[in-house]
Amino acid sequence: MKQLKKTLRLTFASTLLLSGLMLRADAADGLVPLELKLPAAAFKGTPKDLPADLLLEPLSDKPRPALMVPPGCVNLAAGLVPACTDTNASAAKLAKITDGQKEVYEEQIVLLRKGLQSVAFDLKAPAEIHAIVVWHAHDASKVYRSVVVQLADDAGFTRKVRTLYNNDKENTAGQGVGTDRQYFETHEGKLVPAKGEKAQFVRLYSKGSTESALNEYTEVEVWGKPVK
């Protein structure tokens, strides 16, 4: 037991040392933590009855480590009205996805029809993108299906399409079989690193969740800088 405790202490100390070295390396490269304004947490724990076919990321009880990005990154999606495959969704309704309101109020959650749906953003000019963060609906512990996050150089997503995240293991969206793990929605949202990729268009797919066949969006943020 003493040896086990000693090993754990050494492992913990090594982890702290490595984290410190990584932070110092990032600082030396001129990087800063991406500061996200998070909504309040709305639930704790996970549902007992989940489908057996889920391949999930572990749900941590610790805050997500900050993503290190170049200084000067802003939310390029703020105030934009996305295009949407749900033709019943009005512009006023879709504008809620980028209005900065992320709390779990029913009137803030944008509901899209059943089946595969997508929202797409035109950033108006090419940008150096470092992170995309999406909050579907974090009012309960649920897992969203067929989540795909992509960048492209044109609105039709035919030129230089890059897939940053894909948990669509059944290829429902037709964007390739996803290899990323599915995840529990939380107040932190899903943060997808983009590593400075340059693009003007951003697209996100989904196909319901373990709670509902409807598609839900509360907020989408695209963090980066205009290309000079």
Side-chain angles (χ1 to χ4, degrees), residues 78-123:
L80 297 179
V81 179
C84 183
T85 50
D86 183 352
T87 55
N88 288 338
S90 67
K93 183 177 180 181
L94 293 170
K96 293 182 179 181
I97 298 177
T98 59
D99 65 359
Q101 302 299 317
K102 308 167 195 172
E103 302 293 341
V104 287
Y105 303 134
E106 184 176 347
E107 63 271 18
Q108 186 56 38
I109 300 172
V110 176
L111 297 178
L112 304 180
R113 287 187 298 182
K114 299 177 181 179
L116 182 72
Q117 301 291 350
S118 69
V119 292
F121 299 84
D122 179 356
L123 303 179

Side-chain angles (χ1 to χ4, degrees), residues 67 69-70 73 128-132 192-197 223-225:
L67 179 69
V69 299
C73 285
E128 179 185 293
I129 301 173
H130 289 275
I132 297 166
V192 178
K195 301 179 180 179
E197 286 281 347
W223 288 87
K225 300 191 293 185

Side-chain angles (χ1 to χ4, degrees), residues 150-211:
Q150 295 179 316
L151 305 177
D153 287 351
D154 68 313
F157 280 77
T158 61
R159 298 202 309 269
K160 203 176 178 181
V161 179
R162 285 143 286 169
T163 299
L164 304 180
Y165 178 88
N166 184 349
N167 72 17
D168 181 17
K169 64 179 184 178
E170 297 176 349
N171 196 21
T172 302
Q175 304 301 311
V177 176
T179 57
D180 292 303
R181 288 177 176 264
Q182 295 167 311
Y183 62 93
F184 287 105
E185 186 80 6
T186 74
H187 72 292
E188 290 189 319
K190 179 61 180 174
L191 188 155
V192 178
K195 301 179 180 179
E197 286 281 347
K198 294 177 176 61
Q200 182 174 334
F201 298 89
V202 179
R203 179 168 65 184
L204 299 94
Y205 283 100
S206 65
K207 188 184 178 185
S209 70
T210 52
E211 182 183 88

Side-chain angles (χ1 to χ4, degrees), residues 10-24:
L10 288 172
T11 301
F12 181 67
S14 299
T15 301
L16 288 178
L17 177 61
L18 180 60
S19 298
L21 291 172
M22 291 175 66
L23 287 173
R24 284 197 290 273

